[in-house]
Amino acid sequence: MENRLSLLAKRPRVYPLRRYAWGMAAPLICTLISWPLRNVLGEASILMIYLLGVFLVANHFGRGASMLASLLSAPLFAFYFARPIFSFAISDLENIVGLGVMIVVANLTSNLQDRVRLQAELARQRERCTKALYRLSQALAEAGSQQAIANVAIQHIYDQFGAASVLLFADEHGSLVYPDAEPLPFSLRGVDLADAQQAFQLAKVQHNGEALFYYPLMQSQTVLAVLAIRFEEKPIDSDPQLSAFFDAFCSLITQALERLHLAGQAREATLQAETESLRNALLSAISHDLRTPLTRITGAASALIESDSECPEEEKQDLGKVILEEAQRMSDLTSKILNMARLSSGEIILHPDWNAVEEIVGSALTRLDKNLHGRPVRTQLPDSLPLVWIDAVLLEQVLVNLIENATKYTPAGSPIDISAELLPATVRLTVSDYGAGIPKGLEEKLFDKFYRHETETQTSGVGLGLALCRAIIEAHGGAIKVTNLTGKGAAFMIDLPLREPPSLNWDEAEASDA
């Protein structure tokens, strides 16, 4: 406790006996130095030697020792150097004035030295306090939770004041509780929670008479926590400077807690706004894209029921196809919403394996064979492409979404190009079309959930396809972006990270085949 509270303590003192011993020794030393030179130096010069001794004593040992040195210097000078020598009588008025000036100068010098020394010590104290507060503020800035702030506060309070402490926070019912985390070795234990609760409710410092204090840490009339601290020796209130330093400590801790509180409120407000926006977008999209297929299914089913006996077989087949197609649209819409929800919550687990890119592209085109009638699809897939470590089912879904978008938003009969190339660290898949392209500034917006560039067109969809594509590709550690190509339309580029492919032991393979 003593070495820590010395942060604001007075300057170290020399023992009084040693200080006054130097006050007595300095005039004797000056006498010994001046005696051999008494015939060379004048009496005024010898007085300067005594004055120098007094000044040195004042500089190192303070006012009392310097006054003692000046009072002893006067009789020594009178006895050994002032005429008549070996007598305390002084016949020369100049020597009497010199001795008086020496005593006055000694007094003034000692006062100035004490004042300068005090100012220097105060400056050092302020510097130490500033450094301690800076270290605390740096540590609090890195703390990202209540427990982290509590640990930093307890550690620094112990380092600077040598006092055990603990930060108490209120639970959801407004009652103060001990932290759940493992306490630090110097954390305060055995706190009376009733006294702490009183400080929390009254927002006033409480003291139980056992050197245990409860400081409410409040900001804007709100108590954020209660700091319980026990001082081993004298309370901080007994030293105004130490009390001000401790208040600055508490203020920094309070600001850190308020920053954390405001950051939490901002996150909650942002999350609530995003949730509300997504909810409105989802309801708007579903109400539009579910109403159309439901209306067509209802109409087709009603026509089948009402004209069951009179309806030709060919018309029945057409109505059945309408019902099937619209049901498939609703199923695809539901699947996209569920997959997006699973990916956003991290519930979808990848099942990666070594796969060939051309096989996944071929599988996606097979799935879309009916949608691609009358539309040429041109592929450029080099034979030298390496295997990629991916979930083939999910990557196929990405390609299906991109190709479907190309068929929806480009003129009928326009070609679709699918190409792949090997880059230094990735394999790049590109799906490009010959449509109008992407308006400038919307390249990233297209990947937002429920965003549709053409919201009031006849094109179906809820704006989840591209968001789902980005979530799947990023889950693989890759990236997806869109750009416009000169002479074409939009081009969606998928970068899949390369990994070291497995080595094949052909001898073992041939042996197993045999």
Side-chain angles (χ1 to χ4, degrees):
M1 179 72 174
E2 182 178 356
N3 61 337
R4 295 183 177 92
L5 288 181
S6 63
L7 179 70
L8 292 175
K10 302 300 181 183
R11 63 180 176 87
R13 296 193 177 190
V14 181
Y15 291 108
L17 291 179
R18 181 183 302 176
R19 185 173 60 201
Y20 288 108
W22 276 104
M24 297 174 62
L28 297 177
I29 294 174
C30 292
T31 302
L32 293 176
I33 294 174
S34 302
W35 179 255
L37 304 174
R38 64 188 184 279
N39 297 322
V40 179
L41 301 177
E43 295 175 353
S45 299
I46 294 175
L47 274 175
M48 291 300 102
I49 294 177
Y50 279 103
L51 182 59
L52 176 62
V54 171
F55 176 80
L56 294 176
V57 171
N59 186 52
H60 289 86
F61 304 106
R63 180 181 177 183
S66 66
M67 290 300 298
L68 176 61
S70 63
L71 292 176
L72 288 178
S73 296
L76 286 175
F77 174 79
F79 189 81
Y80 287 103
F81 302 103
R83 291 185 177 85
I85 61 173
F86 303 120
S87 171
F88 291 108
I90 301 177
S91 59
D92 191 348
L93 180 61
E94 182 179 352
N95 291 335
I96 296 176
V97 173
L99 287 175
V101 170
M102 183 182 65
I103 296 174
V104 172
V105 169
N107 186 33
L108 293 176
T109 302
S110 60
N111 287 336
L112 290 175
Q113 287 292 335
D114 282 346
R115 188 175 301 173
V116 170
R117 190 181 296 109
L118 178 60
Q119 294 297 327
E121 182 61 29
L122 290 176
R124 286 191 292 270
Q125 290 176 8
R126 285 192 292 268
E127 180 183 6
R128 289 193 291 266
C129 292
T130 301
K131 289 182 178 179
L133 292 174
Y134 177 72
R135 289 192 297 268
L136 175 63
S137 64
Q138 275 192 318
L140 290 174
E142 298 174 358
S145 64
Q146 282 188 344
Q147 189 57 48
I149 291 177
N151 289 341
V152 169
I154 293 170
Q155 175 74 58
H156 283 256
I157 288 175
Y158 181 78
D159 291 341
Q160 299 300 331
F161 303 99
S165 60
V166 65
L167 267 181
L168 303 174
F169 298 98
D171 58 12
E172 61 274 10
H173 304 295
S175 300
L176 293 179
V177 294
Y178 263 103
D180 296 331
E182 185 71 19
L184 298 176
F186 34 77
S187 294
L188 182 60
R189 297 173 177 83
V191 172
D192 189 347
L193 292 179
D195 291 341
Q197 189 69 34
Q198 187 175 8
F200 180 77
Q201 294 175 349
L202 299 179
K204 294 182 179 179
V205 179
Q206 300 295 317
H207 175 43
N208 67 355
E210 299 178 0
L212 184 59
F213 291 81
Y214 300 92
Y215 291 88
L217 304 181
M218 58 185 301
Q219 191 77 15
S220 302
Q221 305 301 319
T222 301
V223 179
L224 304 176
V226 172
L227 174 64
I229 183 170
R230 174 181 286 127
F231 299 103
E232 298 299 332
E233 296 182 1
K234 61 181 181 179
I236 285 212
D237 293 342
S238 60
D239 188 333
Q241 292 182 351
L242 199 59
S243 178
F245 180 53
F246 181 73
D247 290 342
F249 249 64
C250 292
S251 178
L252 286 178
I253 298 169
T254 303
Q255 291 175 13
L257 291 174
E258 185 184 25
R259 169 182 55 82
L260 191 66
H261 179 67
L262 294 177
Q265 288 183 337
R267 284 194 300 269
E268 290 178 2
T270 302
L271 180 61
Q272 185 176 0
E274 290 179 352
T275 303
E276 185 68 19
S277 176
L278 289 177
R279 184 184 70 85
N280 293 336
L282 178 61
L283 290 177
S284 175
I286 290 179
S287 64
H288 177 271
D289 286 274
L290 284 183
R291 185 169 58 246
T292 300
L294 283 174
T295 301
R296 297 191 64 187
I297 290 173
T298 303
S302 299
L304 282 174
I305 294 173
E306 293 174 358
S307 59
D308 184 32
S309 57
E310 303 175 358
C311 184
E313 189 65 27
E314 182 178 353
E315 188 174 344
K316 287 182 179 181
Q317 289 290 332
D318 292 339
L319 292 175
K321 289 180 180 179
V322 169
I323 294 175
L324 179 62
E325 290 175 356
E326 298 303 328
Q328 186 62 46
R329 282 180 58 188
M330 293 177 60
S331 176
D332 292 342
L333 172 63
T334 305
S335 297
K336 285 182 179 180
I337 294 175
L338 293 178
N339 288 337
M340 191 70 244
R342 292 192 186 101
L343 280 174
S344 298
S345 61
E347 293 181 0
I348 288 185
I349 300 176
L350 299 179
H351 300 284
D353 202 351
W354 293 106
N355 293 277
V357 173
E358 55 269 19
E359 293 181 0
I360 299 174
V361 173
S363 179
L365 293 176
T366 301
R367 281 180 57 182
L368 295 172
D369 185 56
K370 294 182 180 180
N371 296 342
L372 294 173
H373 55 81
R375 186 184 290 269
V377 178
R378 302 179 296 198
T379 59
Q380 296 179 356
L381 305 175
D383 295 334
S384 59
L385 287 177
L387 298 177
V388 288
W389 182 255
I390 53 172
D391 188 320
V393 175
L394 292 180
L395 183 60
E396 178 184 328
Q397 184 61 51
V398 171
L399 292 175
V400 167
N401 289 348
L402 296 178
I403 298 171
E404 278 186 340
N405 282 349
T407 61
K408 290 178 182 179
Y409 299 102
T410 58
S414 62
I416 298 174
D417 295 340
I418 303 176
S419 62
E421 59 178 325
L422 181 61
L423 299 179
T426 61
V427 171
R428 172 169 289 180
L429 270 171
T430 304
V431 179
S432 56
D433 57 46
Y434 289 81
I438 306 299
K440 188 175 182 181
L442 295 182
E443 292 85 354
E444 286 296 318
K445 188 71 175 176
L446 286 177
F447 293 97
D448 290 348
K449 299 175 185 176
F450 303 110
Y451 177 78
R452 297 181 63 196
H453 175 48
E454 301 177 3
T455 56
E456 299 299 331
T457 64
Q458 298 298 322
T459 305
S460 62
V462 294
L464 277 178
L466 292 179
L468 186 62
C469 291
R470 169 162 282 184
I472 292 174
I473 297 301
E474 289 182 349
H476 284 83
I480 182 172
K481 63 181 180 179
V482 62
T483 186
N484 293 323
L485 296 181
T486 304
K488 289 187 177 183
F492 288 86
M493 301 177 182
I494 302 171
D495 290 328
L496 298 172
L498 285 176
R499 294 182 58 175
E500 187 69 26
S503 58
L504 298 178
N505 192 326
W506 295 106
D507 295 335
E508 293 182 2
E510 292 175 357
S512 62
D513 292 340

